[in-house]
Amino acid sequence: MSASNPCSAVLQFNRSLRFCKGAPLAPGIKPHIYAISKSDITTWPTRPSGTPSEDGLDSVTNGYVLSDNFVLAADKAWHRIDLVENVGTLHWETQGGQYSRTFKADFEVRFPDATDPQAAYLQYRAVNDDVVYLVPSRTGKYYLVGNPLYRTETTANATFGEGVDADDNGAAFAVECTDIFPPLHYSGNIVTENEGTISGATGNPVVVTPTQTN
């Protein structure tokens, strides 16, 4: 009788990663992000466990996607921050030693007007709070930076004046967060402050069909 493998449920490198040459790519992020205080989130989307037996077939065929919706506290919503175009970049890399490796995600983006008092207010709030961010790629995917396990660190700076390169003008938000996964694609609904509800899968408004009553 052969002994069972106690590590059979541990994640293994188990698939190919192919790319169709000639397929168009749109690098970069869109000129806005969404942010919310972690304390305004009451329920997080279901996160992958990291083991194939628990993550199911969908993770094998489609990769890791957060498809459940965020549940927010009453009267809370995601806040939009407009950005200088073609400046922001989302980056991640591994950190730590064997058996305790994690991913560190980071990005820096700039709001165009450093003299706007609302920019100074949001910078103050962000550096003193634990903020969760959704970063939209130009391909339409919203990437989540922030998680229930680790604090998101936000630092800030601002530059304006004569002789300053246009890309350096503005109020900057520099964000860094540790997670056990790379930034995950969030495809659920995004309840925003001023734009209604947006689909994280498409970036388009979510149309709510009124319930008919007899």
Side-chain angles (χ1 to χ4, degrees), residues 25-31 86-90 135-141 143:
L25 293 175
I29 66 176
K30 293 182 178 180
N86 303 318
V87 174
T89 301
L90 175 61
V135 182
S137 72
R138 292 193 182 276
T139 60
K141 291 183 173 65
Y143 287 94

Side-chain angles (χ1 to χ4, degrees), residues 108-195:
E108 181 171 338
V109 292
R110 288 185 177 274
F111 176 75
D113 185 3
T115 67
D116 188 330
Q118 293 297 325
Y121 171 79
L122 280 181
Q123 285 186 321
Y124 170 77
R125 298 294 297 184
V127 301
N128 289 288
D129 198 357
D130 189 354
V131 181
V132 178
Y133 298 89
L134 287 171
V135 182
S137 72
R138 292 193 182 276
T139 60
K141 291 183 173 65
Y142 280 79
Y143 287 94
L144 179 64
V145 179
N147 60 81
L149 303 177
Y150 298 93
R151 178 182 175 87
T152 304
E153 298 293 341
T154 304
T155 58
N157 65 75
T159 305
F160 71 94
E162 297 179 2
V164 178
D165 187 277
D167 289 345
D168 294 329
N169 258 309
F173 296 80
V175 177
E176 182 177 293
C177 187
T178 293
D179 198 346
I180 59 175
F181 298 104
L184 298 176
H185 174 206
Y186 172 66
S187 65
N189 290 342
I190 305 167
V191 179
T192 70
E193 181 182 17
N194 303 119
E195 305 165 87

Side-chain angles (χ1 to χ4, degrees), residues 91-97 100-105 179-182:
H91 165 263
W92 60 86
E93 63 184 24
T94 53
Q95 60 184 2
S100 61
R101 289 196 173 99
T102 56
F103 288 86
K104 181 180 72 174
D179 198 346
I180 59 175
F181 298 104

Side-chain angles (χ1 to χ4, degrees), residues 34-83:
Y34 292 98
I36 193 170
S37 175
K38 184 182 287 186
S39 62
D40 290 338
I41 299 172
T42 61
T43 304
W44 290 73
T46 302
R47 287 161 53 87
S49 68
T51 59
S53 60
E54 296 178 13
D55 288 336
L57 179 63
D58 186 65
S59 69
V60 176
T61 56
N62 298 322
Y64 285 151
V65 176
L66 301 175
S67 57
D68 297 336
N69 294 327
F70 278 97
V71 179
L72 308 181
D75 301 323
K76 300 300 182 180
W78 292 86
H79 307 286
R80 174 171 170 148
I81 302 175
D82 290 329
L83 309 176

